[in-house]
Amino acid sequence: MAERGVEVDHSSIYRWVQKFSPKLEAAFRQSKKRPVGMSWRIDETYIKIKGQWRYLYRAVDKEGQTVDFLLTARRDQQAALRFFKKAIQQHGLPAKVTIDKSGANTAALEALQEETGHKIEISQSKYLNNLVEQDHRAVKRVVRPMLGFKSFASACCTFRGIELMHMIKKGQMLDGNGMKLPAPGQFYSLAA
């Protein structure tokens, strides 16, 4: 904004993020997100909110495309199951899931298999999960300079915006007219 001669206070930008991130992400997921592969890598990372550690569950496919994300207060079977259901609602059931040695993720996947009756191959390998571990870096790089999150709700909205921009940068947005738009053009097409 400063490049264009417009002075904007950081609190105005914060309010814009809180208001528009959920709407833009919903528009992106509704009709603009590219399909992802059937082999997922799933992991969680820690985020500090109001002085307490919270968990950001993230999944990428084997090509590195973001499948889904979910910010939760706990790291347990219920939270992992909620994350898996959210990802499956958008992309369908995966054929293979690679996770770390987390017991919560394993239990959630087993419960999901019982519930759906669909066989999902579960692989527990920290080396195959390096793809999602490296993908965490892009999110952490944006979060690190921030002064921290004061509420869980504002953190959720902010992460929706961060993840949306990360997916756009990866080229996960479908373009309707066959033209390859740069990242700002893709972003502006969401608002249209």
Side-chain angles (χ1 to χ4, degrees):
M1 300 293 276
E3 296 171 344
R4 297 182 179 177
V6 179
E7 286 188 33
V8 180
D9 190 47
H10 65 87
S11 61
S12 297
I13 294 173
Y14 168 79
R15 286 193 301 269
W16 292 342
V17 167
Q18 299 303 305
K19 182 175 182 177
F20 296 116
S21 287
K23 293 176 182 176
L24 291 170
E25 194 225 357
F28 177 75
R29 285 183 182 274
Q30 194 171 41
S31 61
K32 305 266 186 174
K33 190 167 191 285
R34 285 187 193 280
V36 296
M38 298 301 291
S39 179
W40 297 356
R41 274 81 165 135
I42 297 171
D43 192 35
E44 63 279 338
T45 187
Y46 298 90
I47 303 293
K48 195 170 262 193
I49 300 173
K50 205 171 181 181
Q52 294 183 333
W53 290 108
R54 301 298 181 216
Y55 308 95
L56 179 65
Y57 281 86
R58 301 185 70 246
V60 299
D61 67 2
K62 71 178 181 179
E63 305 298 323
Q65 301 299 309
T66 302
V67 175
D68 216 332
F69 60 92
L70 179 69
L71 187 65
T72 63
R74 293 187 176 83
R75 182 178 174 227
D76 57 5
Q77 180 183 351
Q78 274 186 323
L81 188 59
R82 199 168 77 231
F83 169 70
F84 289 128
K85 286 183 177 179
K86 181 182 179 214
I88 288 168
Q89 182 180 5
Q90 176 80 26
H91 299 287
L93 286 163
K96 181 179 180 181
V97 173
T98 304
I99 57 175
D100 54 8
K101 302 288 183 180
S102 169
N105 289 342
T106 307
L109 278 169
E110 289 169 356
L112 187 66
Q113 287 183 49
E114 267 184 39
E115 189 177 307
T116 61
H118 185 267
K119 177 73 175 136
I120 300 171
E121 183 183 340
I122 301 171
S123 174
Q124 290 184 322
S125 170
K126 65 180 182 178
Y127 303 110
L128 289 175
N129 240 13
N130 283 347
L131 195 59
V132 70
E133 294 286 354
Q134 294 303 314
D135 205 52
H136 290 327
R137 291 171 62 193
V139 174
K140 294 278 194 165
R141 185 175 47 243
V142 174
V143 172
R144 192 171 292 118
M146 293 180 186
L147 296 175
F149 297 104
K150 303 300 181 219
S151 76
F152 192 81
S154 70
C156 284
C157 286
T158 304
F159 276 109
R160 289 173 96 172
I162 290 169
E163 290 284 358
L164 172 65
M165 291 310 299
H166 190 52
M167 287 186 276
I168 287 174
K169 284 179 187 174
K170 286 183 186 180
Q172 285 189 254
M173 187 168 168
L174 290 172
D175 46 353
N177 55 4
M179 292 176 53
K180 182 72 173 153
L181 294 174
Q186 292 177 39
F187 180 77
Y188 295 137
S189 74
L190 280 175

